[in-house]
């Protein structure tokens, strides 16, 4: 009996050892994504970006958003337009606020720390959440492999303060196919598809399907992105 247990334990330890040796490092998976979407030098040279998105759902009013980001200045501008009403979220450095339309007036309110953190995460997440992840205080760990919609993927967990991402990369193409974000008790799952090449040469997902643990209803998002065009400082004025 003891001999049988010893053999079983040896087999288990050997299998763990083989997995540890064959597991792809998270940085290699990230580098494969950079290569598949235009090259790491292109990603390292991103200083600003502008993003336009359309949101549609079978159960809610469609809306649009316009985003402008200056990574170097830690500045984000996001205008969310619903039924011709524009809600504008802005972060500049450590300051962050929202402009809410009230009839012919606009009410300006400071964002809470949680709202500010969410906007800061979104600043990178709109591109990919693992940009400069170590300097941003994140830890990346390869979890293993998983099949997503019939596609074999490599799974990486990216853990930060108050937020966690599980990222699933197509093992053949290196492209990101799914992201699970856990933030403030809400899990949001996003599937990426229709990778399209921007004028800058960056390959990006033009279609996203998002569902969170609160609404539990799929939201379809179509995107277009512009890299390193001038971003007006006027956008970040309070």
């Amino acid at each position: 009996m003891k001999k049988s247990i010893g053999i079983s334990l040896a087999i288990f330890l050997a299998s763990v050892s083989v997995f540890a040796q064959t597991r792809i490092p998270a940085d290699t998976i990230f580098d494969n994504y950079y290569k598949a979407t235009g090259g790491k030098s292109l990603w390292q040279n991103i200083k600003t970006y502008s993003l336009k998105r359309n949101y549609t759902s079978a159960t809610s009013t469609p809306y649009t958003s316009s985003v402008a980001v200056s990574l170097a200045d830690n500045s984000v501008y996001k205008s969310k337009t619903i039924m011709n009403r524009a809600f504008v979220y802005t972060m500049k450095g450590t300051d962050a606020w929202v402009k809410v339309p009230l009839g012919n007036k606009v009410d300006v309110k400071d964002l809470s720390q949680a709202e500010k953190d969410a906007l800061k995460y979104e600043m990178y997440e709109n591109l990919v959440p693992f940009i400069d992840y170590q300097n941003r205080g994140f830890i990346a760990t390869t979890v293993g492999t998983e099949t997503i919609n019939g596609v074999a993927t490599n799974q990486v967990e990216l853990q930060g303060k108050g937020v966690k991402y599980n990222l699933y990369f197509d093992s053949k193409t290196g492209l990101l196919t799914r992201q699970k974000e856990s933030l403030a008790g809400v899990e949001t799952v996003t599937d990426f598809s229709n990778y399209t090449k921007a004028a800058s040469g960056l390959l990006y997902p033009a279609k996203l399907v998002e569902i969170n643990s609160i609404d539990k209803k799929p939201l379809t998002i179509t995107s277009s992105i512009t890299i390193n065009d001038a971003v007006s400082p006027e956008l970040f004025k309070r």
Side-chain angles (χ1 to χ4, degrees), residues 82-196:
I82 305 174
M83 299 181 67
N84 296 320
R85 299 180 70 212
F87 299 78
V88 178
Y89 299 80
T90 309
M91 181 176 72
K92 185 177 181 181
T94 58
D95 196 14
W97 60 92
V98 59
K99 295 180 179 179
V100 180
L102 296 173
N104 295 325
K105 298 181 180 180
V106 175
D107 187 25
V108 181
K109 298 180 179 179
D110 288 326
L111 294 181
S112 67
Q113 186 59 51
E115 292 171 321
K116 188 187 301 185
D117 289 343
L119 198 58
K120 188 171 184 179
Y121 293 137
E122 188 177 333
M123 177 172 66
Y124 293 94
E125 187 182 312
N126 287 332
L127 296 169
V128 282
F130 48 88
I131 292 176
D132 197 27
Y133 74 91
Q134 290 173 318
N135 289 330
R136 292 168 51 221
F138 284 82
I139 297 173
T141 307
T142 305
V143 177
T145 61
E146 186 170 333
T147 300
I148 303 291
N149 296 327
V151 176
T153 67
N154 293 309
Q155 180 186 355
V156 177
E157 182 180 278
L158 189 64
Q159 178 73 59
K161 184 179 180 180
V163 65
K164 182 175 72 173
Y165 299 94
N166 276 285
L167 308 169
Y168 302 83
F169 299 82
D170 188 313
S171 60
K172 290 184 179 179
T173 66
L175 297 176
L176 184 63
T177 63
R178 175 172 289 182
Q179 170 183 297
K180 291 183 181 179
E181 178 200 50
S182 298
L183 176 65
V186 179
E187 181 180 82
T188 303
V189 179
T190 306
D191 286 334
F192 304 94
S193 61
N194 289 16
Y195 274 83
T196 303

Side-chain angles (χ1 to χ4, degrees), residues 1-52:
M1 184 68 174
K2 290 183 179 180
K3 184 177 180 181
S4 176
I5 293 174
I7 293 173
S8 298
L9 180 60
I11 293 174
F12 171 75
L13 291 175
S15 65
V16 170
S17 177
V18 168
F19 175 76
Q21 292 172 11
T22 59
R23 185 171 54 180
I24 303 172
D27 284 341
T28 299
I29 295 172
F30 295 158
D31 284 343
N32 288 340
Y33 179 85
Y34 290 137
K35 291 175 185 176
T37 53
K40 196 166 186 177
S41 61
L42 188 156
W43 282 90
Q44 290 174 331
N45 288 324
I46 296 177
K47 308 301 180 186
T48 66
Y49 72 85
S50 299
L51 184 68
K52 294 188 180 300

Side-chain angles (χ1 to χ4, degrees), residues 54-68:
N54 295 299
Y55 298 77
T56 57
S57 169
T59 58
S60 61
T61 303
Y63 62 94
T64 63
S65 73
S66 178
V67 178

